[in-house]
Amino acid sequence: MNTGGRLIAGSHNRNEFVLINADESARIRSVQELRGQTCEICKDEVELTVDGEPFVACNECAFPVCRPCYEYERREGNQACPQCKTRYKRLKGSPRVENDEEEDDIDDIDNEFDYMNNGGIGFDQVSEGMSVSRRHSGFPQSDLDSAPPGSQIPLLTYGDEDIEISSDRHALIVPPSLSGHSHKGHPASLSDPTIAAHPRPMVPQKDLAVYGYGSVAWKDRMEEWKRKQNEKLQVVKHEGDPDFEDGDDIPMMDEGRQPLSRKIPIKSSKINPYRMLIVLRLVILSLFFHYRILHPVKDAYALWLTSVICEIWFAVSWVLDQFPKWYPIERETYLDRLSLRYEKEGKPSELSPVDVFVSTVDPLKEPPLITANTVLSILAVDYPVDRVACYVSDDGAAMLTFEALSETAEFARKWVPFCKKYCIEPRAPEWYFCHKMDYLKNKVHPAFVRERRAMKRDYEEFKVKINALVATAQKVPEEGWTMQDGTPWPGNSTRDHPGMIQVFLGSDGVRDVENNELPRLVYVSREKRPGFDHHKKAGAMNSLIRVSGVLSNAPYLLNVDCDHYINNSKALREAMCFMMDPQSGKKICYVQFPQRFDGIDRHDRYSNRNVVFFDINMKGLDGLQGPIYVGTGCVFRRQALYGFDAPKKKKAPRKTCNCWPKWCFLCCGSRKNRKAKTAAADKKKKNREASKQIHALENIEEGRVTTTKGSNVELSTEAMQLKLEKKFGQSPVFVASARMENGGMARNASPACLLKEAIQVISCGYEDKTEWGKEIGWIYGSVTEDILTGFKMHSHGWRSVYCTPKLAAFKGSAPINLSDRLHQVLRWALGSVEIFLSRHCPIWYGYGGGLKWLERLSYINSVVYPWTSLPLIVYCSLPAICLLTGKFIVPEISNYASILFMALFASIAVTGVLEMQWGKVGIDDWWRNEQFWVIGGVSAHLFALFQGLLKVLAGVDTNFTVTSKAADDGEFSDLYLFKWTSLLIPPTTLLIINVIGIVVGISDAISNGYDSWGPLFGRLFFALWVVIHLYPFLKGLLGKQDRMPTIIVVWSILLASILTLLWVRVNPFVAKGGPILEICGLDCL
């Protein structure tokens, strides 16, 4: 710091320095009087106290604040002075607020300004002393009066001299007599020079005029001061996740320097009983199985053994599902702090760029209007336009999608400025205009109604254009489609076409109707040729990663399905509160948002909302290593998708003890140390093999590689390029972008060259002999690539975050009719079976990495649950068998057994109630989830299991097609739409045989008398449990006509008859020797 020979004073604890002018003739400046000052917050005049003195809120810096603003700041604000950040003390007449009781001293206005009563010096003496000093220093009194009101002197310089301020205006010097007996400096009023002052300077012989004088004008330099104050640093302890605490404090100042998010644990009054009940339920299960195993049913041994095996499997499944929910948490974000930190006034935005991926395949199954709404919601997102790029993957190479996207880009020029001007929510026009809501709420602009009507008319015209395109695309010409210039459409053959890239928005000259810049919009259709495995959605997403890496290379990626629009325009900012946090964001690989849906019936018959999973299971995983990736609504870190390991946590150096002599450890410790060193070296070697990508990049950036002999050999540019090309492919532009941790583009790269390189990276053979789909990008090997991709990232030591904003970030559509819903569940279960039978199965893969054991349990549960269909369908068949045969799986129940059964059922019910309590889930959603677990388990999961076994073991790819039959008109017409599929046969069969069993059991009890009703109760309860769980399935079969389709009845009766005849053949109702005739003892004659 250059002081220029002047004196520096200040406080080390508060990081404040005062520079005193001493190198030129001092100038006299008046100290601004407190009387008549204006409040810097509300601009009202600062009032006087009851004693007639000016009201002073802060005794440290006397920042002018009126009493109402002082009271409001203490009650609603930060309770601190806006200028010096000193906490406001409670003044006389002010009500108490939180934390006032912790202070030992309370300011007393009566004594604060009464210097005479405290043995000090009054204001008049101070004024006289300063007047005497001025007279002795030779400066005329007129200089004091003629001081300009706008004198600008900063009080604090924080160790650096402000070059914008002249050297004669650096500080305020107050005579020693001003302080009196108080340690708190306070600006005094210079009014009556009648009483002599008694100065007590440290150097009496030194003239006071040498130091100089000045005045402080707060209003003139307030904005400049606030700007510089935000740039100063104050150490504040980070309040974040314990996983992120590295022991280092981060520099912070005010609101903009505080953590961008915080973790909210579940209240102990809710979570502690929940955990205790889980432990109690384990004890009850142990006692239950002890009783079940030690008390077999000898006359129905096969039924008893089958039931015990099924119950043991259910218990294991419950453990896998329950314990990952041991540490549920919630999170809260601070969007205002994000803006204060990265969007400073007068400076360009420092928010990180984001590339958004939208994937679609068949425009006839995924309507272009839905895709257009998703794209429009992305383009209108509340984020800097130069930092958003939207990439639409058309994996079907359909000209309908291309033309619809062109129309969408044109309509976006009107829609985007309208949304941002009036803060529209949601920003998907279809859902904004169709929602029944008060669209005038919080709207004050007089032109809003007129512009909204015009925009709605423009959107209806846009819909007509899209519908016309869809109608035209229904009949494809024999020669194929042609483009506007007469050339054939490259994608006429969907399985044999070149790669296509078209930049619709974001190029020079394309702006909205208000001449503002628009986000980039890019159409991408990767190359497809016969004989290549294109890996479906995972391959399309990897193509988008490479294209975006060449064209924009944002450090963060958001992927959404074509039917999931952005419902909350601040969704990207919500994710950046986690990703861009300087401390906690370094180890986050992705931020997952919950899936919310529109267009679902009020009762959610088939549990389409999946609330239990998203509001209970995912919150539990967030307390461990993070939620699993669910395929959409997820913001990724690009470096994590590239297969790099998470940053390692720095461990504190181990403490050593020197109190024992070294020779004490020579005998017993040397061998142990050698073994420990060898084990550590082996572990380092394995870790080095596991994270070879990042080590390779480190060596390449340094330009060297270490040989086995330890010598550093300079690598040629060609060798380094070959090493990276082996991992990322043969594209020098993409390889260069992959090395940029914070994203960015290569300099001096022309758009034509970048497009040519982008076409190369989406070619068919680009991934050959690379690590794409194995260690990089979306992982291949399963139709549910989402689970596998998230599992790989967690295995590399990354963690994920679950973000649940109050306004849902994304909303989509879900199949609400029974057949489509089962088909969707079939695809998910098939992917889990494929992962279970692959080398990436979490049961045996990923050990030695950074995956936590409870997180591993959740991944094991996600790939094991389809196998539960086997014991489930057997267990649901047991009630009918017991009713038809008169046998039961439990012997005669004693009092002890009754207590065990009741305790088990009670623990199941109370566990569900407590989960609903801390997960904020309604009982209707919980019960629908339980019902559909049984429906999906006995249908879709069972078929997925056999289909997966055939595909993996025998190479037979079996598809279950769903065809439409009929539909009714109405708001939820799809709910009653029936589509034939073989998935409906098993649950229908279970329904029929259990209903038959109930009828036979009741008839048998009526014919046998009163004594048979007792044993019948257990069998009836068991059968009714199955029927009640399958009730939504029965309603789906009946549909709106209340009539079951004939084909379902025929197939189910046929299958039920076969099973019944088989059982009669194996274990008939009558004895094998024929009917036994006994003498009844009655004389019928």
Side-chain angles (χ1 to χ4, degrees), residues 530-545:
F532 287 89
D533 189 358
H534 302 290
H535 302 288
K536 298 181 180 179
K537 182 182 177 180
M541 299 304 295
N542 286 337
S543 296
L544 288 183
I545 294 179

Side-chain angles (χ1 to χ4, degrees), residues 995-1014:
V995 170
I996 293 175
I998 292 174
V999 173
V1000 171
I1002 295 177
S1003 302
D1004 183 68
I1006 293 175
S1007 61
N1008 290 335
Y1010 176 78
D1011 293 338
S1012 60
W1013 283 98

Side-chain angles (χ1 to χ4, degrees), residues 423-554:
C423 301
I424 298 302
E425 295 288 353
R427 298 190 177 180
E430 180 69 22
W431 299 105
Y432 171 70
F433 289 120
C434 75
H435 277 181
K436 297 178 181 178
M437 60 181 180
D438 182 12
Y439 64 87
L440 296 178
K441 185 178 181 181
N442 300 326
K443 300 296 184 296
V444 296
H445 201 286
F448 171 68
V449 176
R450 182 178 65 255
E451 293 192 22
R452 184 182 185 274
R453 289 173 181 172
M455 184 56 61
K456 186 174 183 180
R457 183 171 59 253
D458 292 339
Y459 177 65
E460 289 174 352
E461 294 176 357
F462 169 73
K463 289 178 65 175
V464 171
K465 293 179 181 179
I466 298 297
N467 292 334
L469 291 174
V470 174
T472 305
Q474 297 296 326
K475 187 176 181 180
V476 181
E478 295 181 0
E479 65 277 7
W481 299 107
T482 57
M483 303 181 69
Q484 296 293 336
D485 57 357
T487 58
W489 170 247
N492 281 326
S493 178
T494 58
R495 298 185 179 181
D496 187 5
H497 63 84
M500 293 177 285
I501 297 177
Q502 179 70 32
V503 180
F504 287 107
L505 296 176
S507 58
D508 296 336
V510 181
R511 294 177 175 268
D512 62 20
V513 293
E514 297 183 359
N515 201 28
N516 296 321
E517 187 179 355
L518 288 169
R520 180 177 296 184
L521 176 60
V522 184
Y523 170 87
V524 179
S525 181
R526 56 177 174 153
E527 181 186 15
K528 286 190 175 182
R529 301 297 181 189
F532 287 89
D533 189 358
H534 302 290
H535 302 288
K536 298 181 180 179
K537 182 182 177 180
M541 299 304 295
N542 286 337
S543 296
L544 288 183
I545 294 179
R546 297 192 293 270
V547 170
S548 63
V550 172
L551 297 181
S552 55
N553 196 33

Side-chain angles (χ1 to χ4, degrees), residues 780-854:
Y780 303 151
S782 171
V783 294
T784 53
E785 70 289 333
D786 44 8
I787 296 178
L788 204 53
T789 303
F791 174 65
K792 291 284 287 188
M793 284 188 278
H794 282 144
S795 298
H796 280 280
W798 296 95
R799 73 150 300 152
S800 56
V801 167
Y802 193 53
C803 181
T804 56
K806 294 181 180 179
L807 179 62
F810 303 91
K811 280 191 175 182
S813 58
I816 63 174
N817 68 79
L818 179 60
S819 300
D820 287 348
R821 174 65 168 147
L822 290 177
H823 191 75
Q824 182 187 52
V825 175
L826 168 67
R827 188 177 62 84
W828 294 344
L830 176 60
S832 296
V833 175
E834 291 174 342
I835 297 174
F836 181 85
L837 299 175
S838 69
R839 71 181 188 93
H840 291 114
C841 180
I843 298 177
W844 50 73
Y845 181 84
Y847 289 96
L851 190 65
K852 296 182 179 180
W853 69 275
L854 282 179

